[in-house]
Structures are given as C-alpha cells and as structure tokens.
Amino acid sequence: MTAHPPAAAPGGRGRSRRVVAPFAAVSVLISAAALTGCGQQRDAGAYTVMNSSTDESYHRWDAEAMARCGKQLGVTIEQQSVPAAQVMTKALRMASSKSLPDIVQFDASEMPTFAEAGGLVGLRTLGLSTRDIPEGIVNFGSYKGTYYGAARSVNTLALFYNKDVLDEAGLPVPTTWAELGETAKKLTQGKRYGVALSAGGAEDGVFQFTPFMWSNGGDETRLDSPQVVAALDYWKSLLKDGSLSKSTVSWTQADVNDQFMAGNAAMMINGPWQVETLNTKKSLHWGIARIPVPKAGDASVGPLGGAVLTVPNTGDEQRERTAARIVACLSGEREQLTYALNSWMVPANEKAAAVWRKRVPELDALADQVAAARSRTAKLGAGWSSVSLALQSAFQSALTGQSSQAALTRAQQRATSGN
C-alpha cells in the first residue's frame, strides 16, 4: 500500500509494511522546515533520487534507467534507496535540514500528504506533459487538481490460483464471493488453506480490503455503512469456515505469497510484484484472474497502487526544472516499458501498455483489473491516512472476535476525529 505497496505495497510494490504518517504531523514538520531556500551547496551536475528500491533487482533496474537518462541529459543521477516504510520519515528529516533530494519516489497514497503540506512542485509547471496517460493515472499522481507525481507503472490486486490444485479438484476459477467461499472451503485440506490474504495491521491489509469494500458499493467516507460491514463480514466468514488462516491478521502481502508458494494456500489475493518470485518455483503452475465480486455482473474494483516520482520544493528553480526533465525521462514511454517488463507492473503510458499486453498476455487479467482500479486517495486526499489507520484497527478487532459493525463504527469515529 500504498505499493512499493502498497506499494503499495501497496503502494510502491507492496513488499514492506508501510506506516501512514498523519497529515497534521507532516504539515507541522514541513512548515517548520521552511522549505524555500537550499541548505547546502550542491554539485551542479549531480542529482539524487530517493526511492524504496532496496531489493537487489529493483535497485539494479533503477540504476540502469538512471544511467541511461543521465547520459541523455548530460548529468549524473545518484540513487538513494531506503525501505518503503521509511521514505516519508526520511524525507521529513531531510526537509527539516534543507537537504532534500532532487527527486523523491513516494508511494502514491503518501504523496498527497507531502503535497498538502507544501512540499512538492507541480510537474506541469515544470514542463511535464500528461499526453498518452489515462485520466485515472493522471489523477493517481494528482492532488487537488495539481499533477505532482509521474507514475512509471501501476499495479493492483488480482486472484492468483494454483492451476494444478484447482484442476485436480475439478473446480473452475471462482468469480463471485459465493463461489470463492465454496471453492476455498473445498480446497482446504490438511495444512493447506483454500485462500490466503493479508489483513495485517498495516497498509497491506487496507490495500487488500478495498476490492471487497468497493466492489460491494462501500465507500471510505462511511466506514460503518452496511456495504463495508458486509465486506468485512465476508472476510470473517472465510475465517469461520477454516478456509482462511487465523494468521491472516499478522500477514503482510509478502507473507501471503510465501504461503502460496509453499503450497499452504490454493489461492491468494496479491499483486504483480510477486510474479518474479513466483516464477522461481518452476513446479508451481499459477494463473491469475480478477478478484471475485459479491454477485455475478458486479464490477471488480481494485486499488490502483504504485509509486510516483515527485520534485520536492527546494526553492532552487533551476535544479527543480532539471529534476523534472529526469522525471520525464524515467517516466517516458521507453523507460516505462523496460521497467514494466522487468517488474511485471503495468505501464502508465497507454502506448507502452499496449505493447506490454502483447508481450505478457498471461497477465491480461491484471491489465483489465487496472483499467477499473481506483486510487485510494482520490476522494479523501491527505485524509486517507486517518481512514487507513482506523481500518487497520478494525481488522484486528473484527477478525479476533468483535462484530464487524462494532469494529467499523469505532473505525468511523476514529477516522472522523483523527484519534
């Protein structure tokens, strides 16, 4: 979640637990930092990008892209990678010492918080175009109508399933909640659960809940509505049937993938950032489908996840414009396709996405799911952080005994009050 993700995680790629920083705290810190003006002399030919590419493969892919863009633009681009959960706090510390990097890659769910506090420069004012980018993805990188974050790729969640297990049981891939429940129950045998998902007390769990909430007509502006309660009750029904492990309340999305790969789950809710790892197990034959919906004919609406490249407000307009040119290169059609084919994400650029579909037809269902996906911050902007924290507590309460209605009533109160 978030993912990077989560990535996003959500958000980014969804590989790390992401802590959502409350807006009030960020606003105070950024305001106190007085971002205008540079706090240190910088090498005119060297630019820094801070991201969450701590995985060896992602760090290497990013380094190669930065080297290509640096050569094209005549500058040196240095990569500084920190764990996804630390990007916001690291950026805040650097803002307070007026030593922000030239570019920060935020999880898209965190970007509005930094933008609201005055920490970012609008990319259109720096010369970036949004041509060939779908409106939903432009909105994904925008806050209050200003385009702050350029996405290289986006992701969402889907239903992954073990082809061999379903074939052996003679069962089709489920498409509705009822089918998912029945199939999961039939496939639960011995140490193997029918389905695995993340309901942990972090953004991972919230990211995974949104498809159930949104596809059922629920809304983040009213967490105690009948539609949201029914979605959480559905999760509880899987737990009650024994189709879902009780450990789901502590699992991250990476943990869920580990269970699926180990044969401890016949199906899982997860994202494309797991594909590279899944493919390392040659004996595992997996497929991918849209996340089941409450009833046939309903739209499967998942969360749009991923990271966006932003230009911090440092007060040095010349460096900001060059930083924007670097962002334009890294998020350009050619680099998007290269990055997406490496990472199994979906390119944000429409032309690159069309080529991607032809190159990886096995992930067509994922591209379809992305087309209907929503940004978590589209309605609430920086207010999403309070909703996320409230939902995290609700999962822990409801899945360990409390009624969904009581847990979500409390969550709505927390989201509204910020406590």
Side-chain angles (χ1 to χ4, degrees):
M1 123 124 262
T2 35
H4 52 354
R13 298 181 299 278
R15 290 176 178 268
S16 305
R17 286 181 177 269
R18 187 179 301 282
V19 179
V20 182
F23 164 68
V26 175
S27 183
V28 169
L29 285 167
I30 291 182
S31 297
L35 287 174
T36 54
C38 294
Q40 60 180 16
Q41 284 295 111
R42 304 192 186 206
D43 184 338
Y47 290 77
T48 303
V49 178
M50 185 168 74
N51 60 25
S52 59
S53 299
T54 53
D55 293 348
E56 188 277 329
S57 295
Y58 284 87
H59 192 83
R60 173 168 44 84
W61 297 332
D62 279 340
E64 291 168 353
M66 290 175 198
R68 289 190 293 268
C69 286
K71 184 176 181 180
Q72 178 181 321
L73 298 172
V75 297
T76 300
I77 307 173
E78 301 168 352
Q79 179 177 199
Q80 182 180 21
S81 299
V82 299
Q86 297 177 20
V87 172
M88 178 65 82
T89 53
K90 177 79 171 177
L92 287 172
R93 286 199 301 270
M94 296 177 83
S96 66
S97 61
K98 298 183 182 178
S99 60
L100 275 165
D102 298 286
I103 297 165
V104 178
Q105 180 175 287
F106 283 112
D107 182 89
S109 67
E110 292 182 333
M111 178 275 293
T113 302
F114 215 77
E116 171 75 12
L120 301 175
V121 182
L123 295 180
R124 284 195 180 100
T125 65
L126 295 175
L128 264 72
S129 169
T130 54
R131 188 180 58 189
D132 296 328
I133 304 175
E135 183 180 358
I137 297 178
V138 173
N139 292 338
F140 179 66
S142 300
Y143 180 59
K144 291 186 175 179
T146 299
Y147 181 59
Y148 290 108
R152 288 187 291 171
S153 64
V154 290
N155 62 66
T156 190
L157 295 167
L159 179 72
F160 288 74
Y161 58 92
N162 187 311
K163 291 182 177 180
D164 294 336
V165 171
L166 263 70
D167 287 348
E168 185 180 339
L171 296 171
V173 178
T175 60
T176 66
W177 284 6
E179 291 175 1
L180 177 60
E182 292 166 6
T183 301
K185 193 171 183 179
K186 290 176 180 176
L187 296 179
T188 299
Q189 297 177 13
K191 293 182 179 179
R192 186 185 69 205
Y193 290 92
V195 64
L197 55 83
S198 168
E203 186 70 11
D204 278 15
V206 180
F207 196 67
Q208 296 228 327
F209 184 65
T210 53
F212 295 88
M213 175 172 70
W214 289 339
S215 297
N216 199 41
D219 192 277
E220 55 269 35
T221 62
R222 190 186 164 196
L223 301 180
D224 56 351
S225 72
Q227 294 88 348
V228 182
V229 171
L232 188 50
D233 274 340
Y234 180 72
W235 271 15
K236 291 188 70 170
S237 71
L238 295 173
L239 202 61
K240 184 177 180 181
D241 281 350
S243 303
L244 187 65
S245 170
K246 292 180 180 179
S247 297
T248 190
V249 295
S250 62
W251 281 346
T252 64
Q253 294 179 118
D255 295 329
V256 169
N257 193 59
D258 290 343
Q259 295 298 318
F260 183 72
M261 290 187 68
N264 296 330
M267 300 177 287
M268 70 169 176
I269 305 296
N270 227 314
W273 52 86
Q274 308 293 7
V275 171
E276 183 186 14
T277 305
L278 288 171
N279 285 342
T280 62
K281 188 171 183 178
K282 302 304 180 185
S283 61
L284 177 62
H285 304 127
W286 56 271
I288 189 171
R290 291 192 187 191
I291 296 175
V293 292
K295 61 182 186 300
D298 288 343
S300 183
V301 184
L304 196 59
V308 291
L309 295 166
T310 68
V311 176
N313 178 8
T314 62
D316 187 331
E317 293 185 14
Q318 184 176 346
R319 287 191 71 90
E320 288 169 1
R321 290 195 173 277
T322 301
R325 292 173 64 207
I326 294 171
V327 169
C329 180
L330 291 173
S331 61
E333 183 181 340
R334 180 178 177 181
E335 289 299 340
Q336 277 197 26
L337 183 59
T338 300
Y339 183 77
L341 289 171
N342 280 334
S343 65
W344 303 93
M345 306 294 183
V346 182
N349 178 286
E350 288 180 325
K351 292 180 179 178
V355 176
W356 180 89
R357 276 182 183 262
K358 294 178 181 177
R359 297 278 291 274
V360 283
E362 66 271 26
L363 294 184
D364 226 28
L366 184 73
D368 291 339
Q369 188 90 56
V370 161
R374 281 177 48 189
S375 167
R376 287 162 285 170
T377 58
K379 290 194 173 184
L380 299 177
W384 171 260
S385 61
S386 294
V387 166
S388 177
L389 292 169
L391 278 174
Q392 291 168 30
S393 294
F395 300 155
Q396 300 297 299
S397 299
L399 297 177
T400 55
Q402 192 176 36
S403 75
S404 297
Q405 183 67 67
L408 289 168
T409 296
R410 173 59 179 149
Q412 180 60 36
Q413 293 169 348
R414 290 190 63 183
T416 303
S417 66
N419 296 320

